[in-house]
Amino acid sequence: MAAFGLQSILERVSSHDKDFRYMAGNDLKALLKRPDFRPDQDTQRKLVAMVHKQLDDADGDIALMAAENGGLLVGSLDEVQLRSLLQQLCERCTRAGKKVERRDIATIALKTVLEQISADAQVSILVDVVAPSMVKGIGAKDAFEVVNESLDIAVTLLERFGSSVSAKGYNQQLLPLLLPLLSDHRMALRKRTIACLAALAVFLDSKDLETTAQQVLQQLDARSCKPEISRTYMQTVAALSRAVGHRFGPYLPTAVPLAISYCNDATDDDVELQEYCLQALESFVQRSPHDMRASLEAVADAALQYLSHDPNYDDADDMDAQSAGGDEDDDDADEELSEQEEYSDDDDGSWKVRRAAARILAAIIATFPDLLPSIYPKVFPALLARFREREETVKGDVFATFITLLEQVGRVAKYSGGRKLGPLTLLGNDAPAVIKAAAQQLGDRSVKTRTGALQVLQELVAILPDSMQAHIAAVLPPLVAILNDKSSTASTMKIQALVLLRVILAASFAQTLEPHIRTLSKPLLDVLQERYYKVVAEALRVAEELIRTMRPSAEQNLPACMQEVVEPLHAAVGARLAASDQDLEVKDAAISCTAASLALLGDVLGSQVPSTQQVLLERTRNEITRVAAVRAWAVVAASPLSGDLGAVLAPLTQELTSYMRKANRVLRTGSVTTLEVLVATRGAAMDAGLLEAAVAEAAALVSDTDLTVTALSLQLAAAVLQHQPKAGPSVAVKVLPAGMALVASPLLQAAALRALQGFFVALIDCKPAKVTYKQLLTFLLEAGRDPSTGKAAQLSVAQCIAALCVAAGDKQVTSTVTTLLKTLGDASDEAAQRLALLTLGEIGRSTDLSSYSNLQSIILSTLQEDGKSEELKGAASVALGGLTTSALPQYLSPLLQAASQQARQPKVQFLLLAALNEALTSLAAPGADPTTLSAAQRDEVLAVLVSSVEGEDDVRGVVAECLGHCALIAPEPVVKLLLSRLSDPSPAMRAAVAAAVRCMVVEQEHSIDALLKPSMPQLLGGLADSDRHVRRAAVQSLSAVAHHKPALLEGALQPLLPLLYKQTVLDESLIRVVDLGPFKHKIDDGLELRKAAFEAMDVLLDAAAHQLDLPRFIDHLIGGLQDIYDVKLPCHLLLVKATTAARPYVVTALDRLVGPLTATLNEKLKSDAVKQEVDRNEDMVRSCLRAVDAISCIPETANVAEWKRFMAATVGAGPLKPKFEAVVRERAELPSATGASSGAATAMDLS
């Protein structure tokens, strides 16, 4: 702004017209917000004077604007003018006798300045000026207003710059002034003193905190204070606990009994004291969970006692009435409710006590999930009984606490693998009572009460989906009443009711729903006509679920009573489908519901089907709705009830073909999938030319850049070959070149590989002209022999040849095997030999090739011949395993004999045992016949494995895998054998048994699970073994069990955890020094064991957090953060995860986390460090900063002084600052990022 503009502002400040003065302040605000505004020293002085002049303005709006301008001005001031501004503001705030209004304005101005200052130099000046002024103001005992405002400013000062205040020693001056004010006779002063003391406590050292806590607790223990002062001291205890968190833990043995005692001794009229006591207990549970464990039972009992504390209302008669007749009709319930309401009294504050008690229970349930089995039986009936609570506010907290309890039970359900264990079993038994109580609350007049009841039922159904089957009659009427509510505020509740209804329908059967179909259909049809799009969209989803419940599959008959609902429901959905002025969410839901209607009710709809198909086709052509419509057509096409698609089949095929060229990947994949379904169900009726065009588009999608789309495209091509054989030549010309290019790709795997095999098989079955089996075989063999084809690609080629060969018939199998045997004799082409071996093995997996007498001897000689390459021997091992799978009587015994004889040649023995493992893996696969391996063969295998266990590490590893697969084939005898070997004197044998457990645990249900669960303590007992190899194998097996089937660890984990934690500790005895002449090199033999232990902790935190002693878990995690690079990286990731799964305990350990994190971030490299060392250090710093960022997102970190100092001095300064900001931006850009960090960032100490 020009100097003239600034001069104009300064002149208008002195105008007699208040409008001129106001505009001057407003113009100054605009000027100060300009980033290019840089006033000189004289201008700064004038602006400071102007702000002070306007602060004294008689017009309040002008004075408030001046306070705001003072905050904006500080960024433009030099040190001299900033000091001047602060001094004058402090003088205004602390001057006795000044008008209250003027002091209030000055206080606002000073607090605004405090909020705006951030630069280090300004912070130092601010603390030097403001802190002593506030100390002086708080000490002005005779000036109440001065003390009050000084306390208010001091709170802001400490929250923003507490570290600097503490560093300059002002906390020592403030503390003696604050403690006496707690007993002041003025309530307002006491409240601000509590807030100031809590803000100061964060920065007190242990000695000062001890002095403060003991003085407060001694005052309470003396019981000599007035009631209002006792209340203040109890509030102070709660505030200190919330502020310093776990640091208050040493005082809990005194504080907890005092809080419970004061609560019990308080009169019924002293509700506030009881509330403050319970709030203190809640704070203890949340902020000092580790130290609270010893007192938890007493706190829980107190909370349960006061949960029903209602001295002005006796509900004993009500309980008797319920027990005598629990099925009263709605009129009786309304009468009972009105009788309860007569007891409501505006002066009755006992509801605050009940609310505080409910919150304590919620804190206990959320903070101590490992105690759920003992907590649930006590808490559940008490909370359920309080569903009758007469105060709406308390009832909301009761519902919230009950939902927290259900959530914890749900986590147990997730970990249990489907088994009903502990609290889950109890909840299953209690579900009818929950449903009944919640259903009664759904009839309440209060919107909040009904919302809470809906949330309770939603959580219950999410955990126990089938719990509603027998209680639909109780829940449906209040849900229907909610849907029929015509009030303008009912939309949110209708959405929740519809969500619940959808979940109930998803778990219901048609026969269960049959009596209620009329009751449900009418309100649902009415809701479909509403205007609010979210309600309509959810209603459409309910309608779709209703259709699927009425007729789960096309093969089932639709009950007669439900047929009358079909037409009106279809008409209502059709109206939404046809309307163009709909929200996208409604359009998508209408399309999906229409698809279900056509697929499951097409035979009932009859003549309406063609017109509906036309509308759905129009939606397919619309750019906005085409993705949803394409998916819908896949559902419609798959059903035999959806009618003849003749009128829409050709245009639909054209649309889908054109979409395969679109950049939208979701649209492409949906189009290919839908086309495949159309071809599979209506291929004969489709136009051959249109199909050829579709295949041409699909061929363009076949590549290794997107294997998912590639698999779908190959499946489409195979479907065309099967259902339109005439298109065979065209398909072969278009797709075969792309398939041949794909088969040689090293990336080909999984679904894409299976799809390519299916395409080749379909091509042979179709027998198109100019494409013969011999040609395909030649193409594949050439691709596999090409020098550019890698080992992984060769295996893919071999699997394709095997699939092609087996599908072509026995004659082609014979000729192909003969050809491959000839190739094995040509030693000049090793790539061809490898391919031949791999192909023979793949063919042998499904076809018995034992009739070729020389085949086994050729492969065995290849394995044992010294001149052969390792790659060729590896291929021979795979081939021998595949051949053994289908010819056990002929191949198994020679294989085992050869493995026994090669004990002195570990490499050969490893290859032979790997071949055995290939065979056992196939026999143990899901769907395989375990009886294929006879008992005699099994015993022979086990004997060889036991005798081979003393080999090298590779041999021991494959022996362990073989033992695990044998256990899957014959669980009882093998598990018994392994248990007997746990005490074997050989460490190699014990390690093999421990490692075998990994292969015994599979994701699918298996008969071995019943044997493993009771044996887990023994099978994983190797954690206590004296040999580190055994311990490492046991740790890895523990990880595997926790990952795949954590339910197997229920009841067995507690004795294993101390042993696991022991493996995380650095063992100096496992470090050896190797003398390399000029220097010595340390080798840490325990490194891999420690890494495996922390990986196991990571898995357990995901899969069994409810069984962990989280404080001890965090203790060992901190130890890992002080280890070397290879251990720190996984520990950083584990710490990030712990900020969510073990949040209270991470906060408790913050002061101990600062040291290891600081050491990692400040680690210095040697001056001659090579690039690899620099890169490793950068990776470690970034990993550490991600952990720091995750912790900073926890709001409670703002109350931990050590963490705030660490963030300000280490992370927020120097070269680490831009790196940390980059990590924060990286997290913010993630799809799952939330604003959780904003609160922490705002409250962060910037001093």
Side-chain angles (χ1 to χ4, degrees):
M1 178 180 287
F4 174 77
L6 181 58
Q7 183 63 32
S8 174
I9 293 175
L10 295 173
E11 290 174 356
R12 281 181 286 160
V13 169
S14 303
S15 173
H16 294 292
D17 190 333
K18 68 176 183 180
D19 292 336
F20 275 43
R21 300 198 303 274
Y22 183 86
M23 291 305 299
N26 196 52
D27 290 345
L28 178 60
K29 182 197 297 186
L31 177 65
L32 294 174
K33 287 182 177 180
R34 288 180 52 173
D36 59 341
F37 180 63
R38 296 288 184 271
D40 56 30
Q41 191 170 16
D42 185 58
T43 304
Q44 292 178 29
R45 181 181 55 78
K46 292 178 180 179
L47 291 176
V48 170
M50 173 181 172
V51 168
H52 284 298
K53 184 176 181 62
Q54 287 202 319
L55 285 174
D56 289 328
D57 199 293
D59 187 280
D61 291 338
I62 296 174
L64 286 173
M65 184 178 295
E68 184 179 355
N69 287 340
L72 296 173
L73 180 60
V74 293
S76 304
L77 298 180
D78 59 20
E79 294 184 5
V80 174
Q81 296 304 322
L82 176 62
R83 187 179 295 272
S84 172
L85 175 65
L86 291 171
Q87 287 173 342
Q88 293 183 59
L89 288 176
C90 289
E91 196 274 334
R92 287 170 177 272
C93 294
T94 58
R95 186 193 309 163
K98 193 172 182 67
K99 289 184 179 180
V100 175
E101 295 81 4
R102 293 286 176 262
R103 184 180 293 109
D104 289 343
I105 294 294
T107 301
I108 294 172
L110 184 53
K111 291 174 67 175
T112 305
V113 169
L114 291 176
E115 294 292 343
Q116 294 296 325
I117 285 181
S118 59
D120 292 341
Q122 290 186 325
V123 170
S124 179
I125 296 172
L126 181 143
V127 173
D128 287 340
V129 175
V130 178
S133 296
M134 295 307 105
V135 171
K136 179 181 177 182
I138 294 172
K141 299 181 180 179
D142 297 331
F144 166 74
E145 293 296 338
V146 172
V147 177
N148 201 33
E149 298 297 344
S150 298
L151 287 170
D152 191 19
I153 296 169
V155 171
T156 305
L157 178 67
L158 289 167
E159 288 177 347
R160 291 272 294 162
F161 311 107
S163 293
S164 296
V165 174
S166 176
K168 292 179 181 291
Y170 291 110
N171 55 339
Q172 301 292 336
Q173 301 177 40
L174 283 169
L175 190 57
L177 297 174
L178 293 175
L179 291 174
L181 291 177
L182 292 174
S183 56
D184 192 273
H185 66 281
R186 291 160 293 198
M187 180 184 296
L189 210 59
R190 296 200 303 271
K191 286 186 175 181
R192 287 204 169 163
T193 302
I194 293 171
C196 190
L197 192 58
L200 179 64
V202 176
F203 304 98
L204 294 178
D205 57 27
S206 299
K207 183 179 179 180
D208 288 338
L209 179 61
E210 181 181 3
T211 301
T212 304
Q214 287 185 351
Q215 182 168 334
V216 173
L217 293 174
Q218 285 171 2
Q219 292 290 338
L220 287 171
D221 195 28
R223 296 181 180 269
S224 58
C225 303
K226 295 179 180 179
E228 62 269 19
I229 304 301
S230 296
R231 288 195 288 270
T232 297
Y233 279 121
M234 189 57 67
Q235 280 183 289
T236 305
V237 170
L240 288 174
S241 172
R242 283 190 291 269
V244 301
H246 69 282
R247 295 178 62 202
F248 200 78
Y251 316 109
L252 291 183
T254 303
V256 171
L258 277 174
I260 295 176
S261 174
Y262 265 90
C263 193
N264 292 337
D265 295 343
T267 64
D268 291 340
D269 295 333
D270 200 352
V271 172
E272 288 187 353
L273 178 58
Q274 292 177 317
E275 181 187 15
Y276 297 154
C277 292
L278 295 176
Q279 287 175 347
L281 293 174
E282 179 192 2
S283 174
F284 300 158
V285 172
Q286 291 178 328
R287 306 291 282 122
S288 305
H290 181 58
D291 297 289
M292 270 299 293
R293 280 185 179 267
S295 308
L296 203 59
E297 185 174 356
V299 174
D301 291 342
L304 290 171
Q305 174 188 345
Y306 288 101
L307 183 66
S308 57
H309 176 73
D310 198 352
N312 297 323
Y313 174 65
D314 184 6
D315 62 351
D317 295 337
D318 179 62
M319 295 176 64
D320 293 341
Q322 281 200 352
S323 60
D327 297 324
E328 296 94 336
D329 57 24
D330 292 341
D331 293 335
D332 293 339
D334 290 340
E335 182 179 350
E336 177 185 356
L337 182 62
S338 63
E339 290 174 357
Q340 290 182 12
E341 289 176 345
E342 292 176 5
Y343 288 93
S344 286
D345 188 350
D346 292 339
D347 296 328
D348 178 17
S350 63
W351 62 269
K352 298 178 182 179
V353 177
R354 299 194 296 277
R355 181 183 63 181
R359 290 178 177 178
I360 291 178
L361 293 175
I364 293 174
I365 295 166
T367 309
F368 299 95
D370 55 312
L371 299 181
L372 187 61
S374 60
I375 292 174
Y376 180 93
K378 292 182 178 180
V379 173
F380 178 88
L383 289 174
L384 190 63
R386 294 316 302 169
F387 277 24
R388 303 188 313 273
E389 171 63 48
R390 59 195 180 91
E391 287 292 338
E392 181 181 352
T393 305
V394 182
K395 191 179 290 187
D397 279 286
V398 170
F399 285 147
T401 304
F402 195 84
I403 290 170
T404 302
L405 180 64
L406 293 179
E407 287 172 347
Q408 293 294 350
V409 175
R411 291 188 178 95
V412 173
K414 182 183 74 173
Y415 298 139
S416 67
R419 296 179 178 87
K420 290 193 174 182
L421 304 173
L424 189 59
T425 302
L426 296 176
L427 180 60
N429 298 332
D430 294 331
V434 178
I435 296 169
K436 179 181 177 182
Q440 290 176 349
Q441 298 304 314
L442 287 176
D444 195 277
R445 296 169 187 162
S446 167
V447 173
K448 290 183 179 179
T449 297
R450 286 183 286 170
T451 301
L454 285 171
Q455 292 171 345
V456 167
L457 291 174
Q458 287 173 8
E459 192 66 37
L460 177 65
V461 175
I463 299 169
L464 299 172
D466 57 347
S467 59
M468 285 286 185
Q469 285 294 311
H471 306 281
I472 290 182
V475 177
L476 201 55
L479 289 180
V480 168
I482 293 174
L483 296 182
N484 288 332
D485 190 347
K486 302 301 182 182
S487 64
S488 58
T489 60
S491 297
T492 302
M493 189 169 301
K494 284 185 180 180
I495 293 173
Q496 292 181 333
L498 288 167
V499 170
L500 176 61
L501 194 55
R502 176 162 54 87
V503 177
I504 293 174
L505 290 173
S508 300
F509 301 104
Q511 56 268 32
T512 307
L513 186 63
E514 192 170 335
H516 312 287
I517 189 65
R518 291 183 180 176
T519 306
L520 176 60
S521 59
K522 186 179 185 307
L524 181 59
L525 292 173
D526 292 340
V527 173
L528 284 171
Q529 310 302 320
E530 292 206 5
R531 299 181 61 182
Y532 186 40
Y533 76 96
K534 286 189 175 295
V535 173
V536 176
E538 196 56 53
L540 287 166
R541 297 186 190 104
V542 173
E544 180 179 351
E545 203 59 61
L546 177 62
I547 292 169
R548 298 186 185 281
T549 304
M550 291 192 302
R551 195 176 198 175
S553 66
E555 292 74 22
Q556 298 182 9
N557 294 324
L558 183 69
C561 67
M562 295 185 178
Q563 293 186 8
E564 63 186 44
V565 180
V566 172
E567 288 198 12
L569 184 61
H570 181 75
V573 175
R576 290 293 180 179
L577 178 69
S580 57
D581 55 340
Q582 301 282 336
D583 187 88
L584 179 59
E585 187 178 354
V586 175
K587 291 178 181 178
D588 288 351
I591 290 170
S592 181
C593 186
T594 300
S597 179
L598 291 174
L600 297 171
L601 305 175
D603 55 337
V604 180
L605 295 173
S607 60
Q608 301 179 53
V609 170
S611 59
T612 306
Q613 291 175 350
Q614 287 292 339
V615 178
L616 190 57
L617 179 61
E618 290 302 317
R619 293 289 167 264
T620 309
R621 291 169 173 159
N622 186 289
E623 185 177 358
I624 302 299
T625 58
R626 61 190 181 187
V627 173
V630 166
R631 290 173 179 163
W633 279 116
V635 176
V636 173
S639 171
L641 303 179
S642 55
D644 183 14
L645 299 182
V648 298
L649 191 55
L652 176 60
T653 304
Q654 291 175 326
E655 292 295 332
L656 295 174
T657 301
S658 68
Y659 292 159
M660 293 165 67
R661 296 191 294 269
K662 300 296 183 181
N664 187 333
R665 185 175 182 273
V666 176
L667 183 60
R668 285 203 315 272
T669 55
S671 299
V672 177
T673 302
T674 303
L675 275 171
E676 183 196 352
V677 175
L678 284 171
V679 172
T681 56
R682 292 166 171 80
M686 298 180 74
D687 181 84
L690 293 177
L691 279 180
E692 289 179 8
V695 169
E697 295 295 340
L701 299 176
V702 176
S703 70
D704 60 1
T705 56
D706 190 337
L707 292 179
T708 301
V709 177
T710 293
L712 295 173
S713 301
L714 290 170
Q715 291 168 7
L716 172 60
V720 172
L721 289 171
Q722 293 170 5
H723 299 279
Q724 276 271 16
K726 294 180 181 179
S730 176
V731 174
V733 170
K734 292 180 173 64
V735 182
L736 192 56
M740 287 301 172
L742 178 66
V743 78
S745 170
L747 303 177
L748 181 61
Q749 58 180 328
L753 177 58
R754 292 191 296 271
L756 185 59
Q757 293 171 355
F759 170 71
F760 286 139
V761 171
L763 200 58
I764 287 301
D765 292 341
C766 181
K767 298 182 176 62
K770 298 182 181 181
V771 179
T772 64
Y773 170 80
K774 187 174 181 180
Q775 288 176 321
L776 283 177
L777 180 62
T778 302
F779 289 153
L780 289 170
L781 289 173
E782 288 177 354
R785 292 167 180 165
D786 192 289
S788 62
T789 304
K791 290 185 292 183
Q794 271 195 328
L795 182 59
S796 299
V797 173
Q799 291 174 344
C800 288
I801 294 175
L804 187 68
C805 175
V806 173
D810 294 341
K811 182 178 179 181
Q812 300 297 350
V813 169
T814 302
S815 65
T816 303
V817 171
T818 303
T819 302
L820 294 173
L821 287 173
K822 290 179 182 178
T823 303
L824 287 178
D826 183 6
S828 61
D829 191 349
E830 185 176 306
Q833 284 185 308
R834 277 201 314 271
L835 179 63
L837 286 168
L838 293 172
T839 305
L840 287 169
E842 294 302 324
I843 295 173
R845 290 184 191 277
S846 55
T847 305
D848 185 354
L849 299 183
S850 59
S851 58
Y852 298 88
S853 56
N854 60 337
L855 180 56
Q856 187 176 28
S857 60
I858 292 173
I859 294 178
L860 285 172
S861 64
T862 302
L863 276 170
Q864 302 174 32
E865 191 173 331
D866 292 338
K868 302 295 184 181
S869 69
E870 293 300 322
E871 291 183 355
L872 189 62
K873 289 182 179 180
S877 174
V878 174
L880 184 57
L883 293 167
T884 304
T885 303
S886 296
L888 285 175
Q890 295 79 20
Y891 277 75
L892 185 60
S893 292
L895 171 59
L896 296 174
Q897 185 178 1
S900 299
Q901 293 173 350
Q902 297 295 335
R904 295 184 178 180
Q905 298 187 44
K907 290 185 178 180
V908 177
Q909 187 183 36
F910 169 77
L911 292 172
L912 291 167
L913 291 174
L916 174 63
N917 190 38
E918 284 280 337
L920 293 175
T921 301
S922 298
L923 295 173
D929 183 7
T931 60
T932 305
L933 185 71
S934 67
Q937 291 172 331
R938 180 195 68 226
D939 293 341
E940 188 179 1
V941 169
L942 292 173
V944 171
L945 293 176
V946 171
S947 64
S948 304
V949 80
E950 297 295 339
E952 294 185 352
D953 289 347
D954 290 342
V955 174
R956 284 203 303 271
V958 76
V959 165
E961 291 184 29
C962 290
L963 288 171
H965 291 133
C966 280
L968 292 174
I969 297 170
E972 193 167 346
V974 178
V975 171
K976 184 177 180 180
L977 170 67
L978 294 179
L979 288 172
S980 69
R981 292 286 181 170
L982 287 171
S983 57
D984 196 283
S986 167
M989 186 71 245
R990 300 197 303 273
V993 174
V997 178
R998 280 181 293 169
C999 298
M1000 289 188 242
V1001 183
V1002 291
E1003 293 185 1
Q1004 302 85 4
E1005 289 294 325
H1006 198 285
S1007 59
I1008 197 173
D1009 295 345
L1011 298 172
L1012 289 179
K1013 184 171 175 57
S1015 305
M1016 273 299 151
Q1018 294 89 355
L1019 290 171
L1020 297 177
L1023 288 166
D1025 202 279
S1026 58
D1027 187 89
R1028 63 183 171 87
H1029 298 95
V1030 181
R1031 297 200 301 273
R1032 183 184 173 196
V1035 168
Q1036 292 172 333
S1037 293
L1038 175 60
S1039 295
V1041 175
H1043 178 71
H1044 293 296
K1045 284 188 178 166
L1048 296 179
L1049 294 173
E1050 284 286 342
L1053 193 56
Q1054 296 309 316
L1056 297 175
L1057 286 174
L1059 301 175
L1060 173 65
Y1061 295 147
K1062 190 176 180 180
Q1063 313 314 314
T1064 66
V1065 180
L1066 179 65
D1067 188 350
E1068 295 289 347
S1069 65
L1070 295 179
I1071 298 178
R1072 50 194 171 92
V1073 180
V1074 179
D1075 192 346
L1076 298 177
F1079 56 91
K1080 294 181 179 180
H1081 178 60
K1082 286 186 178 182
I1083 298 178
D1084 186 355
D1085 290 326
L1087 175 60
E1088 295 302 322
L1089 176 57
R1090 296 201 303 280
K1091 287 170 60 178
F1094 281 111
E1095 289 167 6
M1097 288 173 61
D1098 191 310
V1099 175
L1100 287 170
L1101 191 61
D1102 278 334
H1106 65 297
Q1107 297 188 66
L1108 299 178
D1109 181 358
L1110 292 174
R1112 191 170 183 185
F1113 183 96
I1114 298 295
D1115 290 343
H1116 289 277
L1117 173 56
I1118 292 173
L1121 294 172
Q1122 303 173 61
D1123 212 312
I1124 63 173
Y1125 171 88
D1126 293 313
V1127 178
K1128 283 183 181 180
L1129 285 183
C1131 284
H1132 290 152
L1133 296 174
L1134 182 53
L1135 180 56
V1136 171
K1137 193 173 293 183
T1139 57
T1140 301
R1143 173 171 157 179
Y1145 303 97
V1146 172
V1147 175
T1148 299
L1150 276 180
D1151 55 345
R1152 291 180 293 140
L1153 284 167
V1154 167
L1157 295 175
T1158 303
T1160 298
L1161 294 174
N1162 292 335
E1163 186 172 342
K1164 303 298 182 184
L1165 293 173
K1166 296 179 181 179
S1167 58
D1168 58 347
V1170 298
K1171 185 178 184 301
Q1172 183 181 7
E1173 292 174 325
V1174 175
D1175 292 342
R1176 280 165 58 91
N1177 185 67
E1178 284 297 314
D1179 289 342
M1180 186 167 63
V1181 169
R1182 278 195 298 271
S1183 173
C1184 184
L1185 288 174
R1186 290 189 186 100
V1188 171
D1189 177 47
I1191 296 173
S1192 297
C1193 290
I1194 303 175
E1196 291 86 348
T1197 57
N1199 296 327
V1200 182
E1202 191 70 21
W1203 182 260
K1204 295 175 76 172
R1205 282 192 286 267
F1206 163 71
M1207 291 299 296
T1210 303
V1211 178
L1216 289 175
K1217 184 175 181 179
K1219 295 179 181 179
F1220 181 67
E1221 290 171 349
V1223 167
V1224 173
R1225 287 194 300 270
E1226 176 186 305
R1227 171 181 50 79
E1229 292 170 359
L1230 294 175
S1232 59
T1234 65
S1237 63
S1238 60
T1242 301
M1244 187 180 299
D1245 182 359
L1246 300 176
S1247 57

